Amino acid sequence: MKTCTLAIALTLLAAPAFAQSEVDRLEAASVSAGANMEAFLVSRVPEIAPAIPDWEWDEEMRTAAACTLDAIRAEGGDAAVETYLDEMDVFAEVEITSMEQMATVTPVPINPDFAMQTGQACGTAEIAMRRMQESGLMEAMMVPDVMGRLMN
């Protein structure tokens, strides 16, 4: 469950106001927030550093992000997209200090059910999970001592 929460948090991260498009904003904030998350993880469990996935965006992720923004717009209109991006711009600057904080303050578009359904439908959840599995982060987080150190 905690790994799922982490994956959802990672898939929801978005971007700074200077970026050119909505997808660019989402990408910039996602990369920044990912770096903040990585700093937290490594501060608690330094040996996890080699298992941190590369969160740089590729075409697959940009397509999934565009799908997510389209779904937000279909559900809540332009205002919902702008609100989500604004919240993500702020979150991208937040210093992560706990797993609980990451799970509770990561902005969620519309509501948690919508965010989860959209993450699955658009593929962002699958991309995040795949990257965490390929890098070894998922396996590392299953080690009780590692999870214990992250949770304390």
Side-chain angles (χ1 to χ4, degrees), residues 132-149:
M132 290 190 308
Q133 287 174 334
E134 289 172 353
S135 72
L137 181 61
M138 190 78 86
E139 181 179 342
M141 291 184 68
M142 296 299 171
V143 174
D145 176 62
V146 169
M147 187 52 76
R149 290 163 55 196

Side-chain angles (χ1 to χ4, degrees), residues 13-16 26-38 89 91-94:
L13 304 174
L26 190 57
E27 178 178 1
S30 176
V31 170
S32 178
N36 295 341
M37 185 208 58
E38 179 177 345
D89 287 345
F91 182 68
E93 302 301 319
V94 170

Side-chain angles (χ1 to χ4, degrees), residues 22 72-73 75-87 110:
E22 292 170 341
I72 295 168
R73 182 169 281 109
E75 182 74 16
D78 290 340
V81 171
E82 191 60 33
T83 296
Y84 176 64
L85 291 173
D86 288 347
E87 290 172 356
I110 311 295

Side-chain angles (χ1 to χ4, degrees), residues 17-147:
F18 63 86
Q20 298 170 349
S21 73
E22 292 170 341
V23 173
D24 290 339
R25 282 182 71 187
L26 190 57
E27 178 178 1
S30 176
V31 170
S32 178
N36 295 341
M37 185 208 58
E38 179 177 345
F40 163 72
L41 294 174
V42 172
S43 75
R44 292 284 178 92
V45 185
E47 64 272 21
I48 207 170
I52 302 293
D54 179 2
W55 293 110
E56 293 298 316
W57 282 29
D58 55 14
E59 196 55 39
E60 176 186 37
M61 190 62 194
R62 288 184 67 77
T63 299
C67 173
T68 299
L69 293 172
D70 288 346
I72 295 168
R73 182 169 281 109
E75 182 74 16
D78 290 340
V81 171
E82 191 60 33
T83 296
Y84 176 64
L85 291 173
D86 288 347
E87 290 172 356
M88 296 312 279
D89 287 345
V90 171
F91 182 68
E93 302 301 319
V94 170
E95 178 184 359
I96 305 296
T97 58
S98 71
M99 294 291 281
E100 179 181 355
Q101 174 201 27
M102 194 173 1
T104 59
V105 303
T106 300
V108 174
I110 311 295
N111 62 56
D113 288 338
F114 174 85
M116 189 174 299
Q117 291 169 357
T118 302
Q120 291 172 348
C122 291
T124 53
E126 188 275 327
I127 293 167
M129 294 299 283
R130 184 179 69 234
R131 288 182 178 186
M132 290 190 308
Q133 287 174 334
E134 289 172 353
S135 72
L137 181 61
M138 190 78 86
E139 181 179 342
M141 291 184 68
M142 296 299 171
V143 174
D145 176 62
V146 169
M147 187 52 76

